[in-house]
Amino acid sequence: MMEHQEYQELMALHALDALEASDARAVDAHLEACARCRAELIELKDAAGLLAYGATPAEPRTELRAQILRSIRAAADEDRRGSRISAQVVPLSDWRQSRAWTTGLRIAASIAIVALLIGIVVLWRRALRLQREVADLSGQVDTQQLDLARNRDILAREREALALLTSPEAKRMELTGTTAAQNARATLVFDKQTGRAMLLTEGLPAAPPDKAYEVWFIPKGHSPMAGKVFTVDASGRAMVSDQMPPEARDNSVIAITLEPKRGSAAPTGAIYLSSPSS
Amino acid sequence: MQPDLSQIPDNALLHAIARGDQSALAACYDRYRVILFSIILRILNDRQEAEDCLQEVFLQVWRRARDFDEARGRAFTWLVTIARSRSLDRLRASGSRLRLATEAAQAPREDTGDAAEESVRSEEGALVRKALAELPEEQRRALLLAYFEGLTQTEIAARLGDPLGTVKTRMRSGMIKLRELLHGKVRR
């Protein structure tokens, strides 16, 4: 905020209309509150008016006087007609009032439009936020459903394993790691009657992305018969349920090899686990 | 009986015009045509355009005389302000400011010709012209640039190639001297 003194210094320039617009506005605002400055400005404007004498005196053409007085007469006649007409039609005050009304309505309409636009923007942003939240939630639901399915799967296999283990017909085979996976071991439990089998591994190295382990049933005197293709978790564990071919239920060797991801018809890769040959 | 309007004070003349007295306007024209035309011609620098503008000014005086309030300044100031604003508006509209670039910053000429015969204002005019002539050249130039070209302080500083602070100080000093003139010799 400027002090009174500073405004006073601007006043002479204001009287000459020589202030920049922003300064002029500040001075005008001060003038509304300061009677002393108002009085000062009046004097300074009178002083500025004297500068008119700085122009070289010049006479207009003599004919101009009559011309100007004619135009004044015409303007006076027009004003009289104009005021008669306006008296007949709408009283001036009513007209002003109605104009104030239209102005009021226009302002109200502008405000309404602005409010509407703000409302639309707010709703639009809220909708976007909700959309994002819905997407997040349905993503979470998908993940949970996936988890649930996985858990159900695990549970089913565990039940199966439990059923197999507790079955009186259950037979059990131990597989040991070869040189390719010395820490690996696995257990195969199977029902000799039904051929239902469950393989539990641990300590198998993670398969490369384009590879997977494959189970082979090798009955004595037969070529290997392909079982399930599987991968292991981080600790090398897997629980694989399979159906054992009847030929393999007696006296066969079980082996696990590393194969292309989709599995092979006959073993091609290195043997990782194997049951002792009987 | 028609009163002798040539003798009535400026304020009364404007009040008479405000009441729709066309002869008061004629008297106002006789009294003010020279000073108003001088301002307009100085600003517009074109006689034809200046005469058109003078006609506009008197039409405005006729229509707006009721706005004149002597509590807010001299009648002289009210009239010259209309002439100045109208001409500056025209100047800005026509963009003919360049024509003035050399003329406007010049000192007022001493020769006053036939127009100086104008009786009522000649005394005051002579006093002010003398005072203006006594102002330091750079003060006078800055004030006249503001008045006749409608330049702001910044534009004046740029035109004269002087620092803004210096220009402000000069203009203030010049204005103070003009105001002293009002307090002393010039009729309020």
Side-chain angles (χ1 to χ4, degrees), chain A residues 101-229:
Chain A
W101 258 102
T102 1
T103 311
L105 281 176
R106 272 196 208 124
I107 292 168
S110 310
I111 292 170
I113 286 168
V114 169
L116 196 65
L117 286 177
I118 292 171
I120 287 169
V121 169
V122 167
L123 285 176
W124 175 68
R125 293 180 59 170
R126 187 186 290 177
L128 273 187
R129 206 172 51 234
L130 286 175
Q131 226 167 33
R132 265 200 305 274
E133 277 171 19
V134 167
D136 281 356
L137 286 174
S138 62
Q140 282 175 25
V141 168
D142 285 352
T143 317
Q144 282 171 356
Q145 267 175 351
L146 215 62
D147 285 349
L148 196 64
R150 206 175 291 138
N151 289 340
R152 259 194 213 129
D153 201 30
I154 291 169
L155 193 66
R157 271 180 291 168
E158 279 173 352
R159 272 204 194 119
E160 210 174 339
L162 197 66
L164 266 175
L165 285 169
T166 52
S167 151
E169 296 296 317
K171 290 202 71 174
R172 183 184 165 124
M173 293 173 78
E174 296 299 330
L175 286 74
T176 49
T178 63
T179 45
Q182 286 171 354
N183 295 326
R185 58 184 202 87
T187 305
L188 180 80
V189 183
F190 67 95
D191 187 327
K192 216 174 158 182
Q193 212 65 47
T194 59
R196 300 285 299 151
M198 179 67 58
L199 178 75
L200 300 147
T201 71
E202 59 180 83
L204 270 178
D210 55 336
K211 302 272 186 183
Y213 293 105
E214 189 163 356
V215 181
W216 302 99
F217 305 103
I218 315 165
K220 205 167 188 167
H222 274 79
S223 47
M225 302 167 83
K228 281 276 176 67
V229 175

Side-chain angles (χ1 to χ4, degrees), chain A residues 9 12-13 15-20 23 40 42-61 64-65 67-69 71-73 75-76 78-79, chain B residues 22 25-26 29-30 33-35 37-39 42 47 51 54-55 59 62 71 74 76-77 84 108 121 124-125 128-129 143 147-148 152-154 171-172 175 178-179 182-183 188:
Chain A
E9 284 175 13
L13 288 156
L16 282 164
D17 302 322
L19 289 178
E20 310 308 317
D23 282 345
E40 173 134 7
I42 287 170
E43 266 192 33
L44 284 165
K45 278 195 165 166
D46 281 342
L50 294 177
L51 285 168
Y53 289 113
T56 308
E59 269 285 6
R61 280 178 305 121
L64 197 65
R65 184 181 196 270
Q67 196 180 315
I68 286 177
L69 293 179
S71 69
I72 298 300
R73 205 170 305 127
E78 199 180 304
D79 288 349
Chain B
Q22 292 180 35
L25 189 102
Y29 180 85
D30 294 340
R33 70 178 189 283
V34 172
I35 184 68
F37 190 65
S38 312
I39 299 167
R42 170 69 178 259
R47 282 196 76 92
E51 289 191 352
L54 186 66
Q55 180 158 348
L59 206 62
W62 173 251
R74 306 169 76 208
F76 176 84
T77 307
R84 175 179 179 250
R121 304 240 66 89
E124 177 177 307
V128 176
R129 274 191 277 269
L143 291 179
Y147 196 78
F148 290 113
T152 66
Q153 49 183 9
T154 316
M171 291 173 80
R172 267 206 300 275
M175 285 290 283
L178 285 176
R179 187 164 65 167
L182 276 172
H183 281 302
R188 296 234 50 200

